[in-house]
Amino acid sequence: MPTSVLPSADPARREPVSTRRIVLGTAAVALVPVVLAAAGLLHPHHLTQDTAGRWITLHLLLLPVFPLLAGSLLFLLRGLRGPWVTVARVGSYLYAIFYTALDAIAGVAYGTLLANTDDPASLTRAGTAIDVVGGALGLIGSSGFLLASVATTVALASRYGTRRVATGGTILIAASVLWLGSHIYWPEGVITVLCLGLGAGLLNIAREGAPSGPAAAVS
């Protein structure tokens, strides 16, 4: 009696990624930028005693949100290894720590101070000091994010091909450069974070739609 022989599995092949998985992954990396953009539409352009309450509330709510922006990059790097992945993680850590510190000091602390102080001279001195410290914290944090964005793009390009990730990576890096000098204020800040989400989303689509081969470390 003839014996049937099943074809051996090809280790270099995998099942096509489902559309649902691509959509969910893309939504995941774009969610935080969209939330930040929505918050930017509500963010006062100037901190005054009239806007202090909304300023404080908004920054309190955003304290756990800002660090999650780096989570989009870490999500894109899932399953990858190598020096560029390590650099991206370090940059993400720097961003999460220092940008959150900016939010706490220039957002929550300064807003609370202004809401409870009537001495203009004291407010001026405190505001100047907070602007200097907050500016330094924000620059370090956003520089860390730029570093993480570049490293993430290089890591994905090394694994999936430069042409495949070029569009998403270019948008992500360009938006990260703009993020160096902006917050979430409308309009430039809102547009910047939306571009961060767009770049990350396109990178996720490029990653999930890439032809698969044996998993390889990024070198």
Side-chain angles (χ1 to χ4, degrees):
M1 183 174 181
T3 304
S4 60
V5 179
L6 296 176
S8 59
D10 184 352
R13 298 179 61 187
R14 70 176 179 184
E15 292 297 321
V17 178
S18 68
T19 301
R20 181 173 180 271
R21 173 174 166 175
I22 295 175
V23 170
L24 289 177
T26 303
V29 297
L31 176 61
V32 172
V34 170
V35 170
L36 290 176
L41 296 175
L42 303 174
H43 197 298
H45 277 77
H46 302 286
L47 176 58
T48 65
Q49 289 194 329
D50 291 334
T51 63
R54 181 153 53 104
W55 183 285
I56 296 167
T57 300
L58 192 61
H59 282 277
L60 280 172
L61 293 174
L62 291 178
L63 271 175
V65 178
F66 274 117
L68 295 178
L69 190 61
S72 297
L73 304 182
L74 299 179
F75 182 81
L76 292 171
L77 295 170
R78 63 196 184 279
L80 300 183
R81 295 176 298 167
W84 285 109
V85 175
T86 301
V87 171
R89 288 171 178 163
V90 171
S92 296
Y93 177 78
L94 290 174
Y95 161 76
I97 295 298
F98 285 93
Y99 209 89
T100 302
L102 162 67
D103 189 44
I105 293 174
V108 179
Y110 191 24
T112 302
L113 175 66
L114 190 145
N116 294 278
T117 304
D118 295 322
D119 182 3
S122 298
L123 284 175
T124 299
R125 290 195 301 271
T128 301
I130 289 173
D131 284 343
V132 172
V133 174
L137 291 171
L139 181 59
I140 295 172
S142 55
S143 296
F145 191 88
L146 174 59
L147 175 64
S149 296
V150 172
T152 297
T153 300
V154 174
L156 292 174
S158 299
R159 178 63 178 84
Y160 300 106
T162 301
R163 293 180 64 181
R164 178 170 290 276
V165 305
T167 301
T170 299
I171 294 173
L172 177 66
I173 293 171
S176 298
V177 172
L178 295 177
W179 189 235
L180 290 172
S182 67
H183 191 46
I184 58 172
Y185 299 108
W186 169 261
E188 60 272 14
V190 172
I191 295 172
T192 296
V193 291
L194 287 177
C195 287
L196 290 175
L198 175 61
L202 290 174
L203 284 175
N204 184 70
I205 293 172
R207 172 197 163 109
E208 295 290 9
S212 62
V218 178
S219 58

